[in-house]
Amino acid sequence: MEEPFVKTQIRKDENIVYKRTSLLVDRPLSYCPGCGHGVVHRMLMETLEEMGIQDKTIGVSPVGCSVLAYDFMNIDMIGAAHGRAPALATAIKRLWPDKFVFTYQGDGDLAAIGTAETIHACNRGENFTIIFINNGIYGMTGGQMAPTTLPGMRSSTSPYGRNVLTMGHPLKITELIANLPGVNYVTRQAVHTPNHVRKTKKAIRKALEQQKENKGIAFIEVVSNCNSGWKMTPVQSNKWMEENMFPFYPLGDIKVDGKLVQSSEVAK
Amino acid sequence: MAKIKGDILVNVERCKGCEVCITACPSSTIAMSKEVNGKGYHFAMKVNDECTGCMNCAIVCPDGVITVFRGKIE
Ligand SMILES: Cc1ncc(C[n+]2csc(CCOP(=O)(O)OP(=O)(O)O)c2C)c(N)n1
Ligand code: SF4
Ligand code: SF4
Ligand code: SF4
Ligand SMILES: [Mg+2]
């Protein structure tokens, strides 16, 4: 197919300033068009590559849309039973304290079925990194309500919107976790604009770096879209996320070096 | 005089037509094709000569299908 504006003069290998990292396996990602999971995968792999620790890292993939993360991340990975990634990561890190260990989990995985594993691993102060993709829904299974679903938000099991009187309140598990003494670093980021993606990458780097110092859990929430579950186009879903998710899940650091920051936001 | 310009290369068969890159491009360099790829998606393509090689599109692309170049042209 002919492209109208091909600049062959510049399109040379020595002029490449950005290309897909080779730590992402060269195959199509299984995610819906526009889904934030792919961006987080790429930032994680870029960070491992830049730190040169891809051979020393073990990832734990969840159950959820990212169940196949081990097919995309070209590092040592293991799949956990639904919600049990923090338990598995605990065992791995205790057996191999010199490895860099992370879990990658959705909100259904981390904040519903895996709440106990998550909270206790955090409270024990295990020394691994948790990457938490909060899209406010069970994406994989058809868009059911999650603990993180916003008040009034429609899902396949709350078709008229989440009624907090009968369905309970959304769980800000990240703020809950930030209050645990075993947790050293907590931040909430997003990946829908270039700036947000850059910040998320920095947070991932910071989280992995601190594993060298045995400081306890580093927890990164990424507020992300699920355009299929939300029934919007990707671009619409990113806008909806800014307008509805961010006011309830405000972005920024929540705990740094073991100290709570942004406490006014957390209290909201 | 030499000028710094950018260029992008889209892996057409891997593009899912999500349009997130269009929103991220400050120079309106990307638009969707009229044709579709093998998977049936309209794909991102370059439609003007204003690319600066800022990498915004490539950074937000969920499928990591954009390669960015930057260099001098005479
Ligand atoms: C023990 C068990 N219970 C329930 C399921 C069904 N199930 C698969 S994925 C999922 C929810 C995933 O949602 P989330 O963690 O938010 O991931 P997302 O797909 O949104 O990224 C559920 C309930 C399962 N696979 N195993
Ligand atoms: S269902 Fe939602 S979370 Fe899953 S891949 Fe599609 S957009 Fe992403
Ligand atoms: S590199 Fe920057 S200017 Fe060029 S197409 Fe991508 S977003 Fe637009
Ligand atoms: S962001 Fe990537 S997948 Fe989406 S339309 Fe642009 S090039 Fe295609
Ligand atoms: Mg989810």
Side-chain angles (χ1 to χ4, degrees):
Chain A
M1 264 161 276
E2 276 300 305
E3 279 182 90
F5 294 95
V6 178
K7 193 152 279 106
T8 42
Q9 245 190 308
I10 297 176
R11 204 177 282 183
K12 293 185 247 172
D13 277 358
E14 67 260 35
N15 288 335
I16 291 178
V17 287
Y18 192 91
K19 74 176 218 269
R20 196 178 198 266
T21 166
S22 61
L23 283 190
L24 272 183
V25 177
D26 189 19
R27 63 160 63 110
L29 299 172
S30 53
Y31 304 111
C32 304
C35 174
H37 272 303
V39 186
V40 183
H41 281 27
R42 186 161 41 86
M43 288 308 114
L44 188 53
M45 290 305 105
E46 282 183 9
T47 307
L48 296 184
E49 187 174 38
E50 283 165 22
M51 292 172 73
I53 57 169
Q54 60 269 36
D55 298 333
K56 292 187 229 146
T57 303
I58 302 175
V60 187
S61 62
V63 170
C65 282
S66 48
V67 64
L68 295 176
Y70 49 72
D71 271 350
F72 307 130
M73 300 182 185
N74 200 0
I75 56 165
D76 288 335
M77 302 262 319
I78 183 166
H82 205 3
R84 274 50 170 176
L88 202 46
T90 298
I92 295 168
K93 185 71 182 190
R94 287 186 179 205
L95 284 168
W96 287 292
D98 296 335
K99 299 274 187 189
F100 293 83
V101 177
F102 68 86
T103 71
Y104 185 102
Q105 304 177 256
D107 47 334
D109 191 85
L110 181 141
I113 193 167
T115 312
E117 283 76 7
T118 304
I119 288 184
H120 287 295
C122 289
N123 198 41
R124 288 192 305 268
E126 303 294 341
N127 188 35
F128 59 82
T129 298
I130 296 179
I131 305 213
F132 167 41
I133 312 299
N134 178 10
N135 51 20
I137 208 159
Y138 291 1
M140 184 195 203
T141 42
Q144 292 85 356
M145 188 175 66
T148 44
T149 301
L150 299 176
M153 183 173 166
R154 287 169 202 269
S155 70
S156 60
T157 48
S158 60
Y160 304 108
R162 182 182 192 148
N163 178 348
V164 295
L165 293 176
T166 53
M167 301 166 189
H169 297 273
L171 179 60
K172 292 190 183 187
I173 194 157
T174 303
E175 276 80 356
L176 209 86
I177 279 164
N179 283 291
L180 303 174
V183 176
N184 187 59
Y185 175 48
V186 180
T187 189
R188 185 184 280 124
Q189 304 290 339
V191 290
H192 64 306
T193 73
N195 264 347
H196 287 97
V197 177
R198 288 188 184 98
K199 281 192 192 160
T200 296
K201 187 173 170 184
K202 271 196 191 139
I204 293 171
R205 173 96 190 213
K206 192 176 160 90
L208 291 169
E209 292 280 0
Q210 78 162 51
Q211 283 194 36
K212 294 178 191 160
E213 296 156 48
N214 274 304
K215 283 184 167 168
I217 290 281
F219 189 99
I220 301 172
E221 173 179 341
V222 179
V223 181
S224 191
N225 60 355
C226 173
N227 46 80
S228 291
W230 299 356
K231 310 217 179 304
M232 298 172 197
T233 68
V235 172
Q236 279 170 348
S237 74
N238 285 340
K239 192 158 188 289
W240 190 90
M241 177 173 73
E242 284 181 345
E243 289 167 0
N244 297 276
M245 295 282 277
F246 294 173
F248 193 83
Y249 298 114
L251 304 185
D253 288 343
I254 297 171
K255 194 176 199 181
V256 179
D257 293 329
K259 289 193 188 66
L260 287 171
V261 291
Q262 214 201 43
S263 48
S264 54
E265 293 282 17
V266 176
K268 262 188 218 163
Chain B
M1 215 186 74
K3 221 179 142 192
I4 301 287
K5 287 287 261 180
D7 193 4
I8 57 164
L9 181 63
V10 178
N11 183 342
V12 165
E13 284 308 316
R14 291 275 174 89
C15 171
K16 293 179 184 163
C18 71
E19 305 189 8
V20 172
C21 53
I22 296 182
T23 326
C25 177
S27 54
S28 308
T29 299
I30 308 175
M32 284 295 126
S33 64
K34 289 215 169 58
E35 304 97 325
V36 294
N37 63 16
K39 287 239 160 70
Y41 293 122
H42 298 284
F43 49 87
M45 57 189 282
K46 208 176 153 193
V47 292
N48 69 29
D49 233 353
E50 309 299 315
C51 175
T52 58
C54 73
M55 307 187 279
N56 275 3
C57 54
I59 287 170
V60 291
C61 172
D63 289 86
V65 305
I66 303 178
T67 304
V68 185
F69 305 81
R70 199 190 295 136
K72 271 197 204 122
I73 52 164
E74 301 306 323

